[in-house]
Each structure stands twice: as structure tokens, then as C-alpha cells.
Amino acid sequence: MDFDPRTTLLTERTRATKLLVDVERSMLDVSDARDGANTDDEHDPEGSTLAWERGSLGAVRDDARRRVEQVDAALGRLDAGTYGRCAVGGEPIPEARLAAVPWAATCVAHA
């Protein structure tokens, strides 16, 4: 491989972990903004905006958590010597796929 998968994965893990911390902080800020406010989302002009923002932040949080899990699994495969092999068929995962998605556990055919 022309790229260093461990460095790439650790960089992505750091990025996703920081995003997770930032999003969770933002979710607290949104929650704090609701404290003492009208909690009737249907009649509060800001209620629907806050609900949408909470939902959007929740989706980003879930994606960041999932990415950390995927990266941790890829690091485990790297340590086990199975990184770069499809978890379904065992064939090599093309280098271009790993360069684009370093945490990929499968080849494109099995994705």
C-alpha cells in the first residue's frame, strides 16, 4: 500500500472523536437554550427550529460514533493482520477503495 493505513486511521479517529465531542457540546447548548423557554414545540415559533436542530445534531453524533467504531474495527484488523482483506469473501480490498475509505471491511462487491 502506498499510504500508511495506521496513520490514516488514527487521524480519522481523532477527527471523528473531536466531531463527537463538539456535537455533544452543541446538543447541550441547544438543550440549555430550551431551559426556561416555552416547551410547546407546536406553538413556539422557535420550538420547531430547536427540535430540528436537536434531530440534526443527533444524526451527526450517531454518524461520528459509528465512524469511531468502524475505525476501531479497522485498527483491530490491522493488528490482527487481516486489514485489506474482505470480511465476507476474503479477497483483497483494492488499494483505491482503502485509500478512499480506510475503514472499509469489505470489497466493493460485498459492500
Side-chain angles (χ1 to χ4, degrees), residues 86 88 97 106-111:
C86 179
V88 175
R97 175 161 170 73
T106 60
C107 65
V108 173
H110 292 118

Side-chain angles (χ1 to χ4, degrees), residues 22-65:
D22 290 347
V23 167
E24 287 176 342
R25 186 176 308 119
S26 293
M27 289 180 80
L28 285 173
D29 291 345
V30 169
S31 180
D32 290 347
R34 298 265 321 151
D35 287 348
N38 181 359
T39 58
D40 182 2
D41 283 357
E42 183 179 345
H43 299 100
D44 178 6
E46 290 298 318
S48 59
T49 302
L50 292 172
W52 180 86
E53 191 168 349
R54 277 194 319 266
S56 296
L57 289 169
V60 173
R61 179 202 57 212
D62 294 348
D63 286 344
R65 282 182 182 159

Side-chain angles (χ1 to χ4, degrees), residues 58-76:
V60 173
R61 179 202 57 212
D62 294 348
D63 286 344
R65 282 182 182 159
R66 197 168 17 260
R67 179 60 44 82
V68 170
E69 291 169 1
Q70 292 170 325
V71 168
D72 285 347
L75 288 166

